[in-house]
mmCIF file of all heavy atoms in Angstrom:
data_model
loop_
_atom_site.group_PDB
_atom_site.id
_atom_site.type_symbol
_atom_site.label_atom_id
_atom_site.label_comp_id
_atom_site.label_asym_id
_atom_site.label_seq_id
_atom_site.Cartn_x
_atom_site.Cartn_y
_atom_site.Cartn_z
ATOM 1 N N SER A 148 84.395 72.403 87.813
ATOM 2 C CA SER A 148 83.346 73.108 88.532
ATOM 3 C C SER A 148 83.864 73.973 89.613
ATOM 4 O O SER A 148 83.384 75.034 89.887
ATOM 5 C CB SER A 148 82.350 72.107 89.057
ATOM 6 O OG SER A 148 81.626 71.481 87.962
ATOM 7 N N ALA A 149 84.774 73.377 90.456
ATOM 8 C CA ALA A 149 85.352 74.118 91.580
ATOM 9 C C ALA A 149 86.100 75.367 91.102
ATOM 10 O O ALA A 149 85.936 76.478 91.719
ATOM 11 C CB ALA A 149 86.228 73.209 92.411
ATOM 12 N N LEU A 150 86.900 75.252 90.060
ATOM 13 C CA LEU A 150 87.680 76.411 89.567
ATOM 14 C C LEU A 150 86.798 77.449 89.098
ATOM 15 O O LEU A 150 87.018 78.690 89.232
ATOM 16 C CB LEU A 150 88.613 75.952 88.463
ATOM 17 C CG LEU A 150 89.872 75.201 88.831
ATOM 18 C CD1 LEU A 150 90.591 74.704 87.592
ATOM 19 C CD2 LEU A 150 90.800 76.134 89.662
ATOM 20 N N ALA A 151 85.655 77.100 88.450
ATOM 21 C CA ALA A 151 84.718 78.107 87.905
ATOM 22 C C ALA A 151 84.098 78.951 88.934
ATOM 23 O O ALA A 151 83.673 80.081 88.715
ATOM 24 C CB ALA A 151 83.663 77.399 87.100
ATOM 25 N N GLU A 152 84.019 78.455 90.234
ATOM 26 C CA GLU A 152 83.335 79.182 91.299
ATOM 27 C C GLU A 152 84.304 79.894 92.305
ATOM 28 O O GLU A 152 83.860 80.581 93.190
ATOM 29 C CB GLU A 152 82.405 78.319 92.061
ATOM 30 C CG GLU A 152 81.293 77.568 91.259
ATOM 31 C CD GLU A 152 80.415 76.748 92.085
ATOM 32 O OE1 GLU A 152 80.144 77.183 93.177
ATOM 33 O OE2 GLU A 152 79.929 75.706 91.584
ATOM 34 N N LEU A 153 85.582 79.754 92.017
ATOM 35 C CA LEU A 153 86.639 80.300 92.945
ATOM 36 C C LEU A 153 87.047 81.750 92.552
ATOM 37 O O LEU A 153 87.708 82.407 93.387
ATOM 38 C CB LEU A 153 87.798 79.426 92.980
ATOM 39 C CG LEU A 153 87.587 78.015 93.628
ATOM 40 C CD1 LEU A 153 88.716 77.186 93.616
ATOM 41 C CD2 LEU A 153 87.059 78.203 95.049
ATOM 42 N N GLY A 154 86.703 82.205 91.353
ATOM 43 C CA GLY A 154 87.044 83.584 90.981
ATOM 44 C C GLY A 154 88.494 83.932 90.941
ATOM 45 O O GLY A 154 88.874 85.027 91.363
ATOM 46 N N GLY A 155 89.328 82.987 90.566
ATOM 47 C CA GLY A 155 90.767 83.242 90.558
ATOM 48 C C GLY A 155 91.592 83.198 91.913
ATOM 49 O O GLY A 155 92.798 83.459 91.913
ATOM 50 N N THR A 156 90.921 82.653 92.863
ATOM 51 C CA THR A 156 91.541 82.542 94.175
ATOM 52 C C THR A 156 92.571 81.350 94.230
ATOM 53 O O THR A 156 93.596 81.463 94.879
ATOM 54 C CB THR A 156 90.508 82.239 95.279
ATOM 55 O OG1 THR A 156 89.515 83.322 95.238
ATOM 56 C CG2 THR A 156 91.170 82.279 96.637
ATOM 57 N N PHE A 157 92.307 80.313 93.429
ATOM 58 C CA PHE A 157 93.226 79.158 93.368
ATOM 59 C C PHE A 157 93.474 78.867 91.828
ATOM 60 O O PHE A 157 92.655 79.251 90.965
ATOM 61 C CB PHE A 157 92.608 78.004 93.983
ATOM 62 C CG PHE A 157 92.658 77.980 95.502
ATOM 63 C CD1 PHE A 157 91.685 78.568 96.222
ATOM 64 C CD2 PHE A 157 93.727 77.395 96.102
ATOM 65 C CE1 PHE A 157 91.741 78.574 97.629
ATOM 66 C CE2 PHE A 157 93.699 77.359 97.579
ATOM 67 C CZ PHE A 157 92.804 77.988 98.286
ATOM 68 N N THR A 158 94.622 78.237 91.629
ATOM 69 C CA THR A 158 94.959 77.824 90.306
ATOM 70 C C THR A 158 95.543 76.399 90.433
ATOM 71 O O THR A 158 95.848 75.877 91.520
ATOM 72 C CB THR A 158 96.093 78.690 89.740
ATOM 73 O OG1 THR A 158 96.296 78.394 88.375
ATOM 74 C CG2 THR A 158 97.357 78.660 90.508
ATOM 75 N N LEU A 159 95.551 75.703 89.330
ATOM 76 C CA LEU A 159 96.074 74.321 89.273
ATOM 77 C C LEU A 159 97.590 74.335 89.063
ATOM 78 O O LEU A 159 98.114 75.087 88.238
ATOM 79 C CB LEU A 159 95.424 73.507 88.174
ATOM 80 C CG LEU A 159 94.012 72.986 88.403
ATOM 81 C CD1 LEU A 159 93.566 72.170 87.221
ATOM 82 C CD2 LEU A 159 93.903 72.162 89.686
#
Side-chain angles (χ1 to χ4, degrees):
S148 296
L150 282 174
E152 298 185 38
L153 293 175
T156 307
F157 283 85
T158 187
L159 285 181

